Amino acid sequence: QVQLVESGGGSVQPGASLTLSCVVSGYTSNPFSMGWFRRPPGKEREGIAAIYTGTGTPYYVDSVKGRFTISRDNAKNTVYLQMDDLRPEDTAMYYCAAALSPGQAFDYWGQGTQVTVSS
């Protein structure tokens, strides 16, 4: 059974950095692509970054471009989200998700890790 476990969230002040990790287990290979999503309080979930695990090609939404960096370590079955220059509007529950094969949706999700940015 495929499982994703996020870690690394916390409460920080504006301008600080955090690195989220997502470990994938229960799959014999690396997922085709991985994504990070977030759900701010009272808002819909949004996708913010994704990466093709084979090529390492990243994608970002404009709101995090230049501040967040997605990366992967295929040997560790782990995807990271380095978040710099955090802002109060980045406060959200952060989730990672996996699409196992090309053309598949993000069918596997972690339980989430909370990030709170406030002064």
Side-chain angles (χ1 to χ4, degrees):
Q1 183 177 356
V2 178
Q3 291 187 321
L4 283 67
V5 178
E6 304 98 331
S7 62
S11 296
V12 297
Q13 293 187 336
S17 298
L18 281 175
T19 300
L20 306 183
S21 300
C22 175
V23 179
V24 182
S25 63
Y27 190 56
T28 56
S29 181
N30 292 114
F32 175 70
S33 63
M34 297 287 296
W36 283 99
F37 297 74
R38 67 185 181 187
R39 186 191 299 273
K43 296 184 178 180
E44 296 292 318
R45 185 179 67 197
E46 61 174 344
I48 58 173
I51 189 167
Y52 291 116
T53 61
T55 64
T57 304
Y59 296 91
Y60 304 97
V61 296
D62 287 344
S63 59
V64 306
K65 198 174 294 183
R67 299 188 299 122
F68 291 10
T69 303
I70 188 171
S71 62
R72 90 286 191 225
D73 185 333
N74 290 340
K76 296 182 178 179
N77 293 328
T78 301
V79 173
Y80 305 96
L81 186 68
Q82 171 71 36
M83 305 186 294
D84 298 318
D85 188 25
L86 283 162
R87 304 167 181 172
E89 54 264 38
D90 295 318
T91 295
M93 183 69 80
Y94 284 72
Y95 302 89
C96 68
L100 300 186
S101 302
Q104 285 191 348
F106 287 110
D107 290 330
Y108 297 91
W109 293 79
Q111 81 290 346
T113 185
Q114 178 68 39
V115 172
T116 302
V117 185
S118 68
S119 54

